[in-house]
Amino acid sequence: MLKAPYILLAEDSDDDTFFARRCFAASGVTFDLQRCVDGRQLVSTLQNCGSALPRAVILDLKMPLMDGFETLQWIRQQPAFQKLPVVVLSSSGLPQDMNRARELGATEYLLKPHTLADLEKMLKKLADRLEALDLIT
C-alpha cells in the first residue's frame, strides 16, 4: 500500500530513476518516490491508489507500451485526477513536444539537465513547489 506523501515517477530508465532517487534523498526531500516503468503501470497504480493519491506524477515522455503523451491524456480524462500535478521531465526540448504536453494538461514541463548537480537543484525546487501546494494532508 502506498503511503502519502509520495510521488509517482514514470520512468523506464534505471539510470534516470537511480539519479532521481539520489537527488531527492540528497536534497532532503520528504516525499517517497515510487517508480512505474511505463504508462500502463502508472495507470494501474493510479487506478488502485484509492484515497491515497500521490502528491504528483513525474512523467517521462519516451516510454514503452504507453508513452508519456498517452498517459497524460488518460490522467486528464479521469475526474479524480483533474487537479493532480503532472510534471513532464524529459530530455526532449522540441517545441512540438512541449506544446503537446501543455495542451494535454501537463502542469509543468522540465528539461532533464546534463549534470547531477543541476538535476538535484531542479528536483529540490520541484519538491518545494509541490510541498507548498499542500494538496494532500
Side-chain angles (χ1 to χ4, degrees), residues 78-92:
Q78 309 309 306
F81 307 130
Q82 289 297 307
K83 294 184 180 184
L84 178 64
V86 178
V87 178
V88 172
L89 180 60
S90 178
S91 57
S92 174

Side-chain angles (χ1 to χ4, degrees), residues 18-31:
F18 171 80
F19 289 124
R21 285 179 196 246
R22 181 176 167 186
C23 289
F24 269 117
S27 64
V29 171
T30 59
F31 298 116

Side-chain angles (χ1 to χ4, degrees), residues 15-80:
D15 289 340
D16 286 352
T17 300
F18 171 80
F19 289 124
R21 285 179 196 246
R22 181 176 167 186
C23 289
F24 269 117
S27 64
V29 171
T30 59
F31 298 116
D32 186 23
L33 191 64
Q34 298 293 321
R35 178 187 185 195
C36 297
V37 296
D38 58 51
R40 286 187 186 170
Q41 187 180 25
L42 178 69
V43 166
S44 176
T45 300
L46 286 171
Q47 288 173 324
N48 294 303
C49 70
S51 63
L53 291 177
R55 178 61 60 104
V57 170
I58 299 176
L59 185 62
D60 186 25
L61 292 180
K62 311 295 186 209
M63 296 183 295
L65 302 179
M66 186 175 185
D67 70 24
F69 294 119
E70 294 168 307
T71 305
L72 179 57
Q73 184 173 18
W74 180 89
I75 290 170
R76 290 304 183 225
Q77 289 173 346
Q78 309 309 306

Side-chain angles (χ1 to χ4, degrees), residues 93-110:
L94 296 173
Q96 60 265 34
D97 286 347
M98 296 170 140
N99 290 335
R100 185 170 177 208
R102 288 186 184 104
E103 288 168 2
L104 290 172
T107 307
E108 291 188 49
Y109 192 106
L110 302 174

Side-chain angles (χ1 to χ4, degrees), residues 7 23-24 27-31 55-56 58 87 108 110 120-134:
I7 293 174
C23 289
F24 269 117
S27 64
V29 171
T30 59
F31 298 116
R55 178 61 60 104
I58 299 176
V87 178
E108 291 188 49
L110 302 174
E120 185 175 324
K121 288 176 196 170
M122 176 187 286
L123 292 179
K124 171 65 172 140
K125 288 178 183 177
L126 174 61
D128 288 345
R129 288 192 303 275
L130 295 172
E131 189 107 47
L133 289 175
D134 199 28

